[in-house]
Amino acid sequence: MSSSVTGAGRTAQAPRQHPYASGWTIFAGVMLITAGLMAIFQGSAAIAKDSLLIVTRSYVYAMNTEGWGWIHLILGVIVVVAGVAVFSGAVWARVVGVVVAGLGMIANFVWLPYYPLWAVVLIAIDALVIWALCVGKMKEEPLTTAGSA
């Protein structure tokens, strides 16, 4: 799109942002949805008192696994919703994504004694999400003005 501006006849390039996400932001959205679904499965297993979980007695953060299951389930749903919102490319969605990924990291750190491999994988995914949301940019297209041919 070109538009002319009266005046000295200079051309200026103004960035125009698209209403959709691209690059690292899409990666972060997909990973948020993946991490959220994994947290939902993790929470469901804990609520069902599945035999996958081994409860240790001598851990600093000894908690009821069913209660932690509900926390992971609710947090997982919020993370999935945040992941879908990140696809809009809105700055608020990126901020929410960073916050819920940080909360997910904390929840999975506390979950380490119950299912360590799963918790470490989710911590790594959350760290990647935070990195991708912090470095990702909106796709910009230059808008030319004033007498460009």
Side-chain angles (χ1 to χ4, degrees):
M1 284 187 181
S2 296
S3 64
S4 61
V5 177
T6 59
R10 293 188 224 163
T11 59
Q13 301 238 343
R16 188 175 73 188
Q17 294 184 343
H18 294 280
Y20 55 86
S22 65
W24 287 115
T25 307
I26 290 176
F27 171 79
V30 169
M31 295 306 286
L32 270 173
I33 292 170
T34 302
L37 290 174
M38 291 173 72
I40 289 170
F41 295 143
Q42 179 179 357
S44 299
I47 292 168
K49 297 189 182 206
D50 200 345
S51 61
L52 290 173
L53 302 175
I54 299 170
V55 180
T56 59
R57 292 205 224 137
S58 59
Y59 189 65
V60 176
Y61 305 109
M63 300 186 186
N64 180 0
T65 56
E66 187 176 352
W68 268 107
W70 281 107
I71 289 171
H72 281 283
L73 183 67
I74 293 167
L75 187 59
V77 170
I78 294 169
V79 169
V80 169
V81 170
V84 171
V86 163
F87 286 118
S88 71
V91 174
W92 68 266
R94 292 172 66 185
V95 170
V96 169
V98 169
V99 169
V100 296
L103 290 174
M105 286 178 76
I106 293 168
N108 283 302
F109 175 76
V110 177
W111 189 253
L112 274 170
Y114 303 113
Y115 206 21
L117 181 61
W118 190 276
V120 168
V121 167
L122 285 175
I123 289 170
I125 288 174
D126 288 332
L128 281 173
V129 165
I130 291 171
W131 178 79
L133 288 174
C134 290
V135 300
K137 293 183 193 175
M138 292 284 295
K139 191 174 186 179
E140 295 180 0
E141 178 180 298
L143 176 65
T144 57
T145 58
S148 60

